[in-house]
Amino acid sequence: MKGSDALHTLPGIGPALAKKYAILGLDTLHDLADYYPRRYEDYSQVTAIDKLLPGAVSIAASIISSKGRYVRRGMHITEAVAQDATGSVRLVWFNQPYRAAALKSGHQYFISGNYELKQQRFILQNPSVELASDLPTNTARILPIYRETKGLTSRQIRLAMRNAEPYIRSVPESLPKTIVTEQKLASKQQALAYLHFPESAEDLETARRRLGFEEVFCLSLASLLNKQENRTETALQIAFDEALAKTFVGHLPFMLTDAQRKVAWQIYKDLQKVEPMNRLVEGDVGSGKTVVAAMAAVMALAQGWQVALMAPTELLARQHAETIYKLLDPIGYASTVGLLVGSLNQAKKTKARSAIASGDIRFMIGTQALIQETVDMQKLALIIIDEQHRFGVDQRKTLMAKAGHMPHVLSLTATPIPRTLALTLYGELDVSVLDQKPGGRMPIITEIHSPNSRKQLYEKIEAELVEGRQMFVVCPLITDSTMLEANSAEKVYEQLRKKDFKHRRVGLLHGKLKPEEKQAVMEQFVKHDFDILVSTTVIEVGVDVPNASIMLVESSERFGLAQLHQLRGRVGRGKDQGYCYLMLTDSKPVSRRLRALESSNDGFKLAELDLQLRGPGAIYGTSQHGALDLRIAKLSDVKLISSARQAAQELIDSGVNLVQYTELMITVTRLRAITNLN
Ligand code: ADP
Ligand code: MG
């Protein structure tokens, strides 16, 4: 058996079943061995029948009777009785007519299933049964549960794993042998065997440590190699004009925070180098990232070069364009700013294009698609990416591949991963943190409410609305369907408009609206044509309405911690006290996640906590980057991460030719393509 063997070479897998495996992305034995269980159920304890307790159980017993019958059309029942030295128990299967004939008296079986009360009797319903003389696959062991698809169950996948066991136990080592020894790791084959056929919790721990190490090691290696390569590229050197910087800062309507000053200075130093900058600025919502980005842009504009700012949504692009226009106006650079979004009419687009061609517009702000086709890569010196995790990796890469030189890249994000972790996982990025918020803002008051207290809450809110404040109401994404999502927001909208706040002006914003409609609604809200704006999560990132001081999140338990923190950042941006009300769907106990939000306003602390509460990690927290997510390693496992990171650095420093590690290089090459921000 070898890794490249197709799955249909395994017994029991024909062309039809092979297709189902293909749906799960499994074509070869290698793929199968690499298919990690999602979780486990422990059926390893074999219990005497008279000692059975409700729940997941295994027994060793013989079958003393079995018969099948149709109770009605389309409903077949097999009933059997299993017996050991201590007693007997009834087994019941639904719609598995082959069962009765397969159960032979006189044989010893392992039987695993859920021991449960059905019509006043304890039975085992739809249990797995295997001859005790065979190697257990679906009974009497710790059972791996795999991601399934229609017509392909974990039971079947476990059987395939059993049949592929000789291969799994002979998988070649993928890490350099010295590292396996030094780090006291299990071999690859041992780890995979433990993962698919664990006999104890220790086995699983050993497997996880080895495979988790390898994951982080590969990711670190990929980003370090990217950084190495990045160093050899050339960028346009952007000179630092101190007088210009001073003039810009002098015209701001506020004092920069020390953190903003420090980060801007780091960026200025990067921009002067011929080596392309690749810097991530992490800053909590409201920490003032836009000004810092503008400070960087000004230097490039002063040299006559182009700057592109890409935002994840049109709404945000428009708002950025407006903000930046205002920031650059006092120093005479406002006319260089151009907005490039899909919903501009043809005339405006044409005008923008010719202004870009003539060099009048040099600071392009928009969503990525339009920027991509309009920038003159020869003149593009700096790319600013707002909320970088929202951009498709491919889009980023195509944009950057066009130039003869490499643009400097500045990424801004408000959903931070802790700095130490960022450094470890993204060795290719330099990370700056805006760890300070502009002064004079009161912390937002956050409260969790259950529907029981809705009436009192609305009275409190009304008291604020009377004072002239405004409120966002955010409804959750119920399914992936924009249709249903819109419906849920629409329902809340109707309820508020016709009943609870019928004397108020209520607006509605959801993903089904066209960009220009969204923009229009948003503008109305900014102008205070609405007191209340009901929306789906389209307002999540960046939208600035200083007079909106209240955020009410419906069914808040459905949101992630980071997302709620982002939403909360939409209020308390003006001079008034901000409030964030987290409404629950019902009065079930409140989760630790929500409690954490109530007690902390610090995005970094919340990010740390989020990591601890989560299992293996979604690195960017969004599914579109699934390819980068860790399957095994926990992002909160600092020790594992730093030792893997260090080992990767040492391997590179040792100067060995990495090509000899074929398996490793295949993985690393794939990861490099994903993580490369250049
Ligand atoms: P974010 O980091 O969330 O992108 P923004 O750049 O949108 O934050 O800034 C949030 C608000 O804070 C804006 O209205 C901005 O003008 C204001 N702001 C930025 N820096 C300062 C500062 N140093 N002092 C006071 N207000 C500031
Ligand atoms: Mg922002």
Side-chain angles (χ1 to χ4, degrees), residues 371-382:
I371 285 188
Q372 229 154 304
E373 60 176 81
T374 44
V375 287
D376 175 351
M377 290 303 295
Q378 300 314 314
K379 297 201 185 112
L380 185 64
L382 171 66

Side-chain angles (χ1 to χ4, degrees), residues 11 46 75 93 106 112 126 174 254 366 371 376 383 396 412 461 470 498 537 547 591 595:
V46 176
M75 171 61 97
W93 290 271
S112 294
N126 290 332
S174 46
F254 45 72
I371 285 188
D376 175 351
I383 295 179
R396 210 157 47 198
L412 313 175
I461 289 170
Q470 290 165 275
K498 297 203 173 123
T537 52
N547 191 50
S591 68
R595 286 280 174 234

Side-chain angles (χ1 to χ4, degrees), residues 254-257 260 284-290 438 441 544 573:
F254 45 72
M255 295 277 289
L256 289 179
T257 64
Q260 282 171 319
D284 210 344
V285 277
S287 58
K289 294 184 287 293
T290 320
R441 279 196 216 137
D544 206 6
R573 301 197 140 214

Side-chain angles (χ1 to χ4, degrees), residues 92-103:
V92 177
W93 290 271
F94 293 100
N95 290 334
Q96 300 184 17
Y98 57 88
R99 281 283 179 188
L103 298 168

Side-chain angles (χ1 to χ4, degrees), residues 270-476:
D270 288 350
L271 293 180
Q272 294 169 62
K273 294 184 192 155
V274 62
E275 177 186 315
M277 171 175 77
N278 198 8
R279 186 172 287 280
L280 174 69
V281 174
E282 295 189 349
D284 210 344
V285 277
S287 58
K289 294 184 287 293
T290 320
V291 181
V292 173
M295 288 175 76
V298 164
M299 291 301 151
L301 295 174
Q303 309 278 327
W305 286 322
Q306 287 187 340
V307 179
L309 188 160
M310 304 196 285
T313 65
E314 269 205 43
L315 205 60
L316 208 55
R318 284 173 185 274
Q319 195 155 61
H320 273 315
E322 227 164 274
T323 308
I324 292 204
Y325 187 92
K326 282 192 206 132
L327 287 170
L328 299 193
D329 196 31
I331 58 164
Y333 279 89
S335 63
T336 65
V337 177
L339 177 70
L340 283 163
V341 291
S343 63
L344 290 183
N345 63 33
Q346 211 47 50
K348 279 192 177 157
K349 274 186 201 159
T350 312
K351 199 168 147 225
R353 284 204 179 94
S354 69
I356 290 167
S358 69
D360 289 343
I361 290 181
R362 281 179 290 126
F363 194 168
M364 289 87 116
I365 299 177
T367 44
Q368 72 273 27
L370 259 177
I371 285 188
Q372 229 154 304
E373 60 176 81
T374 44
V375 287
D376 175 351
M377 290 303 295
Q378 300 314 314
K379 297 201 185 112
L380 185 64
L382 171 66
I383 295 179
I384 301 163
I385 302 176
D386 194 27
E387 294 306 333
Q388 52 120 8
H389 63 289
R390 301 231 155 192
F391 274 94
V393 176
D394 294 336
Q395 291 155 329
R396 210 157 47 198
K397 279 199 312 189
T398 43
L399 176 65
M400 297 178 195
K402 284 189 209 161
H405 64 92
M406 204 51 94
H408 295 288
V409 178
L410 180 64
S411 308
L412 313 175
T413 181
T415 40
I417 50 178
R419 185 162 188 276
T420 43
L421 192 64
L423 287 173
T424 306
L425 293 176
Y426 302 121
E428 71 206 272
L429 291 176
D430 293 307
V431 180
S432 298
V433 181
L434 283 174
D435 51 6
Q436 194 182 16
K437 285 201 200 177
R441 279 196 216 137
M442 288 169 278
I444 295 158
I445 295 174
T446 302
E447 287 176 13
I448 301 169
H449 283 264
S450 84
N452 301 335
S453 60
R454 195 181 275 277
K455 199 158 163 281
Q456 290 92 307
L457 177 61
Y458 282 175
E459 283 163 15
K460 267 207 306 205
I461 289 170
E462 177 59 24
E464 292 290 317
L465 298 181
V466 165
E467 293 294 317
R469 302 289 88 75
Q470 290 165 275
M471 166 165 77
F472 286 111
V473 179
V474 177
C475 306

Side-chain angles (χ1 to χ4, degrees), residues 170-215:
S170 67
V171 166
E173 183 52 57
S174 46
L175 287 174
K177 295 245 166 41
T178 48
I179 290 182
V180 176
T181 319
E182 276 166 20
Q183 301 287 335
K184 301 193 175 62
L185 298 172
S187 66
K188 180 73 169 253
Q189 47 189 243
Q190 181 68 76
L192 288 176
Y194 280 160
L195 195 74
H196 295 297
F197 315 108
E199 285 177 11
S200 64
E202 290 80 63
D203 285 359
L204 283 176
E205 198 39 49
T206 306
R208 286 192 177 126
R209 202 178 101 71
R210 149 73 206 222
L211 298 169
F213 181 96
E214 183 168 352
E215 255 180 339

